[in-house]
Amino acid sequence: MLKLKNVNTFYGNIQALRNINIEVAKGEIITLIGANGAGKTTTLMTISGVVPPRTGEVIYDGEPIHKKSPDKIVKMGISQVPEGRLIFPDLTIMENLDMGAFLRNDSAGIKEDMDHAFELFPILYERRKQLGGNLSGGEQQMLAISRALMARPKLLLLDEPSLGLAPLIIRQIFEIVKKINKESGTTVFLVEQNANLALKTAHRGYVMENGEIILSDTSEKLLANEDVKKAYLGL
Amino acid sequence: MDYFLELFFSGLTRGSIYALIALGYTMVYGIIELINFAHGEIYMIGAFVGLTVAGVLTSFGFPATSIMVLASMAAIVYAAAYGYTLEKIAYRPLRSAPRLSPLISAIGMSIFLQNYVMLAQTSDFISFPSLTPEFAFLDKYSSTIGSSDFLIIVVAAVVMVLLTLFIKFTRMGKAMRATAQNRKMAMLVGVNVDQVISVTFIVGSSLAAVGGVLIASHIGQINFFIGFIAGIKAFTAAVLGGIGSVPGAMLGGLILGWTESFCTGYVSSDYEDVFAFALLVIILIFRPSGLLGKAPIQKV
Ligand SMILES: Nc1ncnc2c1ncn2[C@@H]1O[C@H](COP(=O)(O)OP(=O)(O)OP(=O)(O)O)[C@@H](O)[C@H]1O
Ligand SMILES: [Mg+2]
């Protein structure tokens, strides 16, 4: 479904991604793990078209998308829950969700999906008229995920959804990610530093270091890998 | 009391114009965090286009009211085209450059446009015809409010209501609010941010053009430098209200207009600008982000 081929991405003169090759099959949950500054966020931003690659290709559903603008990429079915959640602070929860559906105009379907988000996260319904800026970290993460789902994505990119959240909420969020993947067949590309949890959630994983993919395998094998254990699982 | 009302309305008239121009500063700042120093020149160009069109139409013997409408429309189209082009050539290429670069580019464009109009037109004041129809129902009140004051106040109010509705309820308005709050996230939900920025410049320039034609017809003369002075005042109004805030620009404009009008009326007309800037300083001491502004300004 998604294929990164020899992708090199730069910030000015600084190279953040080196020859990245990643493949994601339809219906999969894959995870990309790595330390701070490895290039995980950059990988997602490259896929979303916010930081286009200098060389290499990003192929989605058989079509090259690395020269497309972010709005075209969203339109094709790729949504991102970015690092730091980036909730619109002066919009209410409902308005934030509505922004997630910016490119849709089936108001009945949008309403339906909003109700679905409220079912998934009842707390969002209780706070629906509150401004995004006044939500707790956990609530913001729930809202960010729901907002991304409002676009009815085929591929969902998640950037460190566990960051700064209490263990209980993290578990709840990962359960929902699995549920979304199972029930609506949404493909999930999960970026995490919490390697243990990520590998337990995903089918396959990639390990990134200094802008390069140094390992890729099924989750079980990565969880059993001595190097991964030492570097990312704290064992 | 009559004198008070007279000052009240003349302040409201001025303030309405400041607000119309201030909106352009504040909207652009809200979206791309740039102080568009050339915005005053867009207003000035609007006034010149209005004058040219009014001159031609007058020679064809059109009635004043239709001249006013057509001249304003021409000014809007022209100013919008200038604003759009300005962003495309002077700011867009610098979007990822250090913050100072687009600011310098803005100052450069301001100087360029002033000199361009000075060379293309003249450096002298040119008289601008009064295009305001006489409103008979205002006859009784002619000592407190003139027809052109009335027209300016009403037009500005209508325009500002329309703008507010546009921002609140249209799809483009939503895209603008989202972009102002978080540009990256706006992209990630599918907003075409380039388009939003262009529309912001077009809308801001159109408002300035309306202000330009109205005030030129009210005062009766223009030259290439009017954009500089009005621009600084309107920028002050935008900062006063909280730069980036649309209602703030409206409020800031009115407060500035009244301050100038009452202070010159009751104290002394020699210090008009002193009062305006003293007010700015006082408000910024107590509310560093302006009256309706949000986060403290750290990005100028
Ligand atoms: N806007 C930017 N300008 C310049 N360099 C950047 C920018 N964003 C990221 N980088 C650099 O690119 C590299 C990769 O950063 P990236 O944010 O992709 O890492 P990450 O794996 O997401 O890290 P983290 O786990 O801390 O979020 C880092 O060296 C970082 O300093
Ligand atoms: Mg990151």
Side-chain angles (χ1 to χ4, degrees):
Chain A
M1 165 177 237
L2 180 77
K3 205 178 216 169
L4 277 71
K5 279 200 219 161
N6 300 324
V7 165
N8 289 283
T9 301
F10 289 75
Y11 292 104
N13 298 322
I14 307 162
Q15 183 161 12
L17 299 183
R18 297 167 193 277
N19 256 332
I20 299 295
N21 288 285
I22 293 178
E23 253 187 79
V24 190
K26 201 168 164 55
E28 256 190 323
I29 302 182
I30 73 121
T31 184
L32 174 64
I33 57 178
N36 287 118
K40 306 180 297 295
T41 298
T42 308
T43 306
L44 294 191
M45 287 303 171
T46 296
I47 297 170
S48 286
V50 174
V51 189
R54 187 170 294 177
T55 61
E57 294 183 311
V58 182
I59 313 285
Y60 172 73
D61 269 349
E63 208 181 317
I65 58 166
H66 50 274
K67 294 216 171 78
K68 291 192 189 296
S69 57
D71 53 305
K72 300 268 161 40
I73 292 171
V74 176
K75 186 94 193 167
M76 291 177 78
I78 303 181
S79 285
Q80 186 178 154
V81 180
E83 184 172 49
R85 297 132 198 171
L86 309 190
I87 296 303
F88 296 114
D90 295 335
L91 300 185
T92 64
I93 288 191
M94 287 181 80
E95 289 171 326
N96 265 282
L97 290 173
D98 192 45
M99 273 319 291
F102 184 72
L103 294 177
R104 293 170 58 183
N105 21 20
D106 55 323
S107 39
I110 293 173
K111 174 85 179 53
E112 208 173 280
D113 288 0
M114 203 179 282
D115 290 342
H116 185 65
F118 290 146
E119 255 167 58
L120 227 43
F121 300 108
I123 186 96
L124 293 184
Y125 180 73
E126 283 167 39
R127 310 253 148 114
R128 65 192 180 281
K129 300 256 164 70
Q130 260 183 42
L131 293 183
N134 299 338
L135 301 178
S136 74
E139 290 159 0
Q140 288 199 359
Q141 192 63 61
M142 295 174 198
L143 177 56
I145 293 174
S146 307
R147 180 180 58 189
L149 292 177
M150 290 300 292
R152 289 204 176 160
K154 290 184 250 167
L155 172 61
L156 181 64
L157 312 175
L158 291 159
D159 198 343
E160 299 202 38
S162 72
L163 196 73
L165 302 186
L168 194 71
I169 300 190
I170 297 180
R171 233 171 295 142
Q172 191 192 345
I173 284 183
F174 275 71
E175 280 314 310
I176 289 202
V177 170
K178 277 199 233 173
K179 189 170 156 191
I180 292 163
N181 170 258
K182 252 212 201 91
E183 288 179 2
S184 38
T186 311
T187 310
V188 176
F189 190 134
L190 172 66
V191 159
E192 261 301 336
Q193 282 201 48
N194 188 336
N196 188 27
L197 196 55
L199 289 171
K200 282 182 177 150
T201 310
H203 306 117
R204 289 189 305 118
Y206 290 83
V207 182
M208 186 174 240
E209 231 168 61
N210 294 324
E212 288 179 277
I213 300 288
I214 55 158
L215 253 173
S216 78
D217 215 326
T218 60
S219 297
E220 294 85 54
K221 292 217 176 110
L222 287 176
L223 279 166
N225 183 300
E226 289 304 321
D227 295 336
V228 174
K229 273 191 193 171
K230 231 183 276 163
Y232 300 104
L233 300 174
L235 299 173
Chain B
M1 191 62 194
D2 272 1
Y3 187 52
F4 173 85
L5 282 179
E6 186 189 332
L7 295 176
F8 177 86
F9 282 113
S10 78
L12 189 57
T13 305
R14 261 170 199 255
S16 301
I17 297 292
Y18 291 153
L20 283 179
I21 311 172
L23 283 166
Y25 282 109
T26 224
M27 287 171 70
V28 165
Y29 187 87
I31 300 277
I32 58 172
E33 281 143 29
L34 167 76
I35 294 164
N36 176 16
F37 278 108
H39 185 59
E41 275 58 53
I42 300 284
Y43 152 90
M44 176 267 294
I45 287 170
F48 269 94
V49 172
L51 174 67
T52 310
V53 172
V56 172
L57 294 181
T58 309
S59 68
F60 282 114
F62 277 71
T65 316
S66 56
I67 293 178
M68 185 72 180
V69 172
L70 292 171
S72 301
M73 277 171 21
I76 288 173
V77 171
Y78 229 85
Y82 266 91
Y84 172 83
T85 313
L86 176 71
E87 190 272 325
K88 267 245 150 88
I89 62 171
Y91 305 145
R92 187 161 300 190
L94 298 172
R95 190 122 10 112
S96 51
R99 310 191 56 82
L100 205 52
S101 313
L103 208 61
I104 291 169
S105 183
I107 294 171
M109 288 313 288
S110 164
I111 295 171
F112 168 77
L113 289 173
Q114 272 177 37
N115 284 281
Y116 158 71
V117 172
M118 181 180 77
L119 292 174
Q121 301 283 335
T122 166
S123 59
D124 297 327
F125 271 98
I126 319 176
S127 71
F128 197 103
S130 172
L131 301 173
T132 315
E134 290 301 323
F135 300 113
F137 62 89
L138 286 175
D139 280 353
K140 279 182 288 192
Y141 313 103
S142 62
S143 63
T144 44
I145 180 169
S147 284
S148 77
D149 291 286
F150 181 77
L151 182 72
I152 289 174
I153 294 165
V154 170
V155 170
V158 169
V159 165
M160 286 191 257
V161 168
L162 289 178
L163 177 72
T164 306
L165 296 176
F166 170 74
I167 292 174
K168 193 128 181 72
F169 294 111
T170 66
R171 202 178 128 77
M172 180 48 78
K174 269 199 241 173
M176 283 174 146
R177 282 189 292 155
T179 307
Q181 288 174 41
N182 195 315
R183 195 196 309 182
K184 191 192 278 176
M185 194 60 227
M187 287 181 178
L188 289 175
V189 294
V191 171
N192 182 341
V193 168
D194 285 342
Q195 193 185 38
V196 167
I197 294 173
S198 289
V199 170
T200 304
F201 273 84
I202 287 173
V203 172
S205 302
S206 305
L207 298 177
V210 173
V213 173
L214 287 173
I215 198 73
S217 154
H218 178 65
I219 291 177
Q221 57 175 10
I222 58 176
N223 80 347
F224 73 98
F225 204 59
I226 58 167
F228 180 76
I229 295 162
I232 285 197
K233 290 283 178 63
F235 175 63
T236 305
V239 173
L240 197 68
I243 192 139
S245 159
V246 165
M250 300 176 184
L251 182 67
L254 295 183
I255 290 179
L256 190 67
W258 278 319
T259 306
E260 286 187 358
S261 163
F262 284 121
C263 288
T264 54
Y266 285 122
V267 187
S268 157
S269 61
D270 297 340
Y271 298 106
E272 178 184 310
D273 296 348
V274 176
F275 293 124
F277 294 114
L279 175 74
L280 178 71
V281 170
I282 291 166
I283 288 192
L284 290 186
I285 287 172
F286 292 103
R287 281 197 67 97
S289 48
L291 291 172
L292 303 180
K294 272 267 158 77
I297 302 166
Q298 351 127 327
K299 306 184 196 169
V300 181

